[in-house]
Amino acid sequence: MLRGTICRGFQLTGRVIGSTRPLTLRSVGAFLHASQCPVSRDMRRRDGSSNAIVKPGTRSLRSLLEEKTGVTGPWALGLGLGAWLISKEIYIVGPEMVETAVILGTMYVLYRTIGGQVGEYFETYSQEILDGMNLKRDAYIQELEAAITDEKNTEEEVGVLKDIFDVHRESSALIQETEYRRRLALVHTEVKKRLDFKVEEEALDRRLQQEHIVNWLVNSVRASITPTQEGQMMTQCIGDLKKMATAQ
């Protein structure tokens, strides 16, 4: 009697009398097994193990019936209720009932035979899907981390770009200055050429004018001399040449 009371106390409170630490499922199962305390069906697993204790405070109608009537109480209640419904024609037996029974029986047999395999298959399949999603997530995280690293490197490169812009600006200024000097020298050369051409042109004009004047004077003088004057001048010239020869 005392042992059953202690077991109910463990079942309801989940704590050991005189201890402040909460019991775990394994410790309670070990204690019940050591004390050979009767364990109700609602405290057992489906595989019949008595080491897994149901969470304290959760009691079903079946456990209450088993405590009052024993293990066969819930079955007797279910069968009696079904027989009463059929006898009172509340539930009428027909082809649908047979079909329902066959379907439910088939489902139960399938559940007991291949339910575990199907469950394992879908669990494995869902785990594969989850692993694939995790791989994609990890790959995406790595891509984001790589992008963040690239952005940090880009910030450093942007800091260097300021110096590059300054060098490019100075280089552009030097190129512009060199082009300006080249064009200035080209203009100077072209202007000098034009000035030299003007000087040569003026000199040519003066030379042509001088030659024209000299030729005009010579022709005018020649035209003004008569043959008599030409003979006299020739005679005088010959005489002057003889005098000069005698004087020497």
Side-chain angles (χ1 to χ4, degrees):
M1 184 68 179
L2 180 59
R3 186 169 57 187
T5 304
I6 293 173
C7 292
R8 290 194 187 91
F10 287 159
Q11 184 178 357
L12 293 175
T13 61
R15 295 179 181 273
V16 179
I17 298 175
S19 176
T20 58
R21 296 179 60 186
L23 284 175
T24 61
L25 298 178
R26 182 174 297 179
S27 62
V28 173
F31 178 82
L32 293 176
H33 180 72
S35 61
Q36 295 181 358
C37 178
V39 181
S40 60
R41 291 177 59 88
D42 61 334
M43 299 173 64
R44 298 177 183 269
R45 288 183 179 175
R46 289 184 178 179
D47 57 357
S49 176
S50 61
N51 293 330
I53 308 302
V54 180
K55 195 173 182 180
T58 57
R59 302 187 65 183
S60 62
L61 178 62
R62 183 175 179 177
S63 62
L64 294 175
L65 289 174
E66 287 181 352
E67 289 182 0
K68 300 298 182 180
T69 63
V71 179
T72 59
W75 295 95
L77 178 61
L79 294 175
L81 181 60
W84 180 76
L85 291 175
I86 294 172
S87 65
K88 297 298 182 179
E89 294 185 356
I90 297 175
Y91 183 81
I92 301 173
V93 178
E96 294 81 2
M97 181 178 179
V98 178
E99 294 176 358
T100 304
V102 171
I103 292 172
L104 293 176
T106 305
M107 292 176 64
Y108 178 76
V109 171
L110 291 175
Y111 172 75
R112 297 295 294 179
T113 54
I114 63 173
Q117 298 176 359
V118 174
E120 292 178 359
Y121 170 76
F122 281 108
E123 184 176 359
T124 305
Y125 181 71
S126 61
Q127 186 65 34
E128 291 177 356
I129 295 175
L130 183 60
D131 293 338
M133 295 177 66
N134 290 331
L135 290 175
K136 292 181 180 179
R137 183 195 63 183
D138 295 338
Y140 185 66
I141 290 173
Q142 291 178 359
E143 291 179 359
L144 293 179
E145 290 178 351
I148 292 172
T149 304
D150 294 337
E151 289 295 331
K152 291 181 179 178
N153 296 331
T154 303
E155 291 178 359
E156 296 178 357
E157 293 175 357
V158 168
V160 178
L161 284 178
K162 183 178 180 181
D163 298 335
I164 296 175
F165 288 154
D166 294 336
V167 172
H168 183 69
R169 189 182 299 107
E170 293 177 359
S171 177
S172 299
L174 290 174
I175 293 173
Q176 292 177 0
E177 183 67 21
T178 303
E179 184 67 18
Y180 170 73
R181 295 294 181 182
R182 187 185 68 80
R183 292 184 180 183
L184 187 62
L186 181 62
V187 170
H188 179 269
T189 303
E190 294 295 329
V191 171
K192 186 176 180 301
K193 287 181 180 180
R194 292 178 184 272
L195 292 176
D196 293 339
F197 176 75
K198 288 292 183 183
V199 170
E200 291 177 358
E201 187 178 6
E202 293 292 334
L204 180 62
D205 289 340
R206 286 196 301 271
R207 184 167 58 83
L208 292 176
Q209 290 176 2
Q210 290 175 359
E211 290 179 356
H212 177 71
I213 292 171
V214 170
N215 292 329
W216 181 74
L217 290 173
V218 170
N219 292 328
S220 297
V221 170
R222 285 179 179 178
S224 63
I225 297 174
T226 60
T228 303
Q229 292 177 348
E230 184 176 358
Q232 293 176 356
M233 290 180 64
M234 290 296 292
T235 302
Q236 187 178 356
C237 288
I238 292 171
D240 291 336
L241 290 173
K242 288 180 178 181
K243 288 179 181 180
M244 290 175 64
T246 302
Q248 290 180 356

